[in-house]
Amino acid sequence: MLVYYLRTMARIKIEKNSSRKDVIVSKAASLFREKGFKAASMRDLAEAVGVEAASLYNHIKSKTELLHELCFGVANRFMQHMDEVESKKTNSITKVEELVRFHINEMVKHYEEVYVSDREWKHLSDPYLSNFQNQRRMYRKRFAAIIETGIRNKEIKLIDAPTAVLIILHAISGIESWHRSTQKINAEELTNNMITILVGGLKNV
Amino acid sequence: MLVYYLRTMARIKIEKNSSRKDVIVSKAASLFREKGFKAASMRDLAEAVGVEAASLYNHIKSKTELLHELCFGVANRFMQHMDEVESKKTNSITKVEELVRFHINEMVKHYEEVYVSDREWKHLSDPYLSNFQNQRRMYRKRFAAIIETGIRNKEIKLIDAPTAVLIILHAISGIESWHRSTQKINAEELTNNMITILVGGLKNV
DNA sequence: ATAATATACTAACATATGTTAGCAAAGAAA
DNA sequence: TTTCTTTGCTAACATATGTTAGTATATTAT
């Protein structure tokens, strides 16, 4: 008896409530994170997805569209959270702490996307590029405003607020190294350490 | 009378005590910083230098060699400084402060190179890649060791030292945003703000 | 002035890359 | 089953890119 092993056509496997495009975007995130946007080719992506490069174009418009989706997905989440925090009636230090916690949490849970949004947005093209840059600027301004309020209320030291924002945001993006580290402490411990250092400082008083 | 405007051959202009290769490496730094290593082409670089792409190869071996030079140039300076700091007989907080000041100073004075070394080393290829990664790991370990000593001496709060290092280094790399900012405070002021926040913390005590 | 070296140019190569066209197969709707 | 839509495949394209070969032209040394 002859048995013919006919190769069936590949198919992108999807989970419930997710499209094939979602799968592609998600794999793109981890590829762009690993190699960088420019160095990651559509053929690489296709292989990761388990399909031929041309097939991807049944689901997406272009490589850049993938970057859009990733960058704005992340940016929107952050913007929305900023709205929430601003509307709360807590003091400034608490707001700062909440923003920091959210950042860390996003970085830990959606590592690849946040990382890509943070490091690869340069490769967006206008009008998306300017749009994205504006959103970032806005976010930082609003963050700085919270710190400035805290300074006026004497909750926070007299420092340059934009510099503080810059430090905080970049410090958090350092979780990248933590994420790759072999001897990771757990996420909660990491968060607490970060809050201690960023909010409380290093010096023992 | 006929006047012939004969185009003379282009030539890479050099300053005293610098080779043509130095000029190329330096221009490469700013290109790689602006566009990223992969997105910056040798033709871009050639144009920046004022010469045809092929001519670059009279001075360099390959595009990757440019990245080597940049990355290891920076790494070596940092390693050497670490040697100096370790050999000093000051307390730990002072050592940390000195390391931070050096970082900021390097970032401000050799912005492009430091930035590239920090963000584009991924595109190195072995054996340079592993070599570079090892150097980084070593540097962070030595930095963490200083902090740990400080913790034992009760100079520094009881925190996870590797996390502290991670925060500090990434916070400093945020100077990139400062560097691009239109309303820069001056470098000294920035440094002091950073030290205040990183070493002293945000909270007003 | 002549020879030797350093540096630049043009042309071309091999390869990688994003993307499209046209067609085949699979799944869903009728 | 038949029809329609979705999703995949192969082949090919245009372009960009790193790099080399071969040659011409400056600059430096003799």
Side-chain angles (χ1 to χ4, degrees), chain A residues 6-76:
Chain A
L6 301 174
R7 206 182 52 202
T8 67
M9 255 184 177
R11 200 123 210 273
I12 299 176
K13 292 195 183 83
I14 57 175
E15 323 245 311
K16 252 230 176 117
N17 289 349
S18 84
S19 63
R20 291 188 165 70
K21 179 167 176 176
D22 290 339
V23 175
I24 295 172
V25 172
S26 158
K27 292 276 184 189
S30 75
L31 251 174
F32 293 173
R33 198 264 315 157
E34 193 190 320
K35 305 189 154 198
F37 176 74
K38 269 284 176 182
S41 78
M42 294 304 278
R43 284 166 180 84
D44 290 338
L45 178 55
E47 194 181 349
V49 170
V51 96
E52 292 299 315
S55 309
L56 298 172
Y57 289 84
N58 286 318
H59 307 281
I60 63 163
K61 244 182 65 225
S62 67
K63 187 187 182 187
T64 337
E65 191 206 2
L66 292 169
L67 195 57
H68 301 164
E69 302 253 338
L70 290 167
C71 289
F72 286 94
V74 172
N76 292 339

Side-chain angles (χ1 to χ4, degrees), chain B:
Chain B
M1 171 178 151
L2 278 175
V3 179
Y4 297 91
Y5 290 91
L6 301 175
R7 206 182 53 201
T8 66
M9 257 184 178
R11 201 118 208 276
I12 299 175
K13 291 193 185 85
I14 57 175
E15 323 245 309
K16 250 229 178 117
N17 289 349
S18 83
S19 64
R20 290 187 164 75
K21 179 168 176 176
D22 291 338
V23 175
I24 294 172
V25 171
S26 159
K27 292 275 183 190
S30 74
L31 251 174
F32 293 172
R33 199 263 315 157
E34 192 191 321
K35 305 190 154 198
F37 175 74
K38 269 285 177 181
S41 77
M42 294 305 277
R43 284 165 180 84
D44 290 339
L45 178 56
E47 194 181 349
V49 171
V51 96
E52 293 298 317
S55 309
L56 298 173
Y57 289 84
N58 285 316
H59 306 282
I60 62 163
K61 241 183 66 224
S62 67
K63 188 187 182 186
T64 336
E65 190 205 4
L66 292 168
L67 194 58
H68 300 163
E69 301 253 338
L70 290 168
C71 289
F72 285 95
V74 172
N76 291 339
R77 284 207 300 276
F78 276 96
M79 274 307 196
Q80 197 186 325
H81 182 255
M82 178 60 87
D83 289 343
E84 287 170 25
V85 167
E86 276 180 343
S87 70
K88 284 185 181 171
K89 296 208 189 329
T90 56
N91 61 23
S92 303
I93 279 280
T94 309
K95 283 183 181 169
V96 169
E97 198 171 316
E98 225 172 295
L99 287 170
V100 171
R101 281 190 193 280
F102 182 79
H103 266 262
I104 298 178
N105 198 46
E106 285 290 302
M107 193 73 181
V108 170
K109 283 206 184 135
H110 309 285
Y111 174 50
E112 329 259 14
E113 293 138 76
V114 176
Y115 183 92
V116 169
S117 159
D118 219 52
R119 314 272 287 222
E120 304 293 328
W121 58 264
K122 275 189 202 181
H123 300 102
L124 289 170
S125 38
D126 270 324
Y128 298 96
L129 180 59
S130 345
N131 196 320
F132 186 82
Q133 286 174 310
N134 282 336
Q135 275 201 250
R136 287 205 136 201
R137 249 193 299 276
M138 273 302 150
Y139 185 88
R140 285 196 299 255
K141 260 204 182 114
R142 292 165 77 179
F143 203 142
I146 290 175
I147 291 181
E148 263 153 16
T149 303
I151 294 175
R152 275 197 301 279
N153 297 345
K154 317 262 190 227
E155 287 175 65
I156 294 178
K157 275 183 194 153
L158 185 63
I159 45 159
D160 185 57
T163 305
V165 171
L166 189 153
I167 289 180
I168 292 172
L169 296 186
H170 278 84
I172 294 165
S173 87
I175 295 181
E176 147 228 345
S177 317
W178 167 82
H179 211 280
R180 279 198 317 258
S181 163
T182 43
Q183 38 177 353
K184 301 193 221 199
I185 59 179
N186 70 45
E188 203 191 342
E189 206 177 329
L190 175 79
T191 308
N192 290 333
N193 264 294
M194 286 213 142
I195 301 256
T196 304
I197 297 169
L198 287 175
V199 179
L202 279 181
K203 211 179 283 177
N204 204 359
V205 287

Side-chain angles (χ1 to χ4, degrees), chain A residues 129-157:
Chain A
L129 180 60
S130 343
N131 196 320
F132 186 83
Q133 286 173 310
N134 282 336
Q135 275 201 249
R136 289 205 135 203
R137 250 192 299 275
M138 272 305 150
Y139 185 88
R140 284 197 298 255
K141 260 203 183 116
R142 292 165 76 180
F143 203 144
I146 291 175
I147 290 181
E148 263 153 15
T149 304
I151 295 176
R152 274 197 303 278
N153 298 345
K154 316 261 190 227
E155 288 175 64
I156 295 178
K157 273 183 194 154

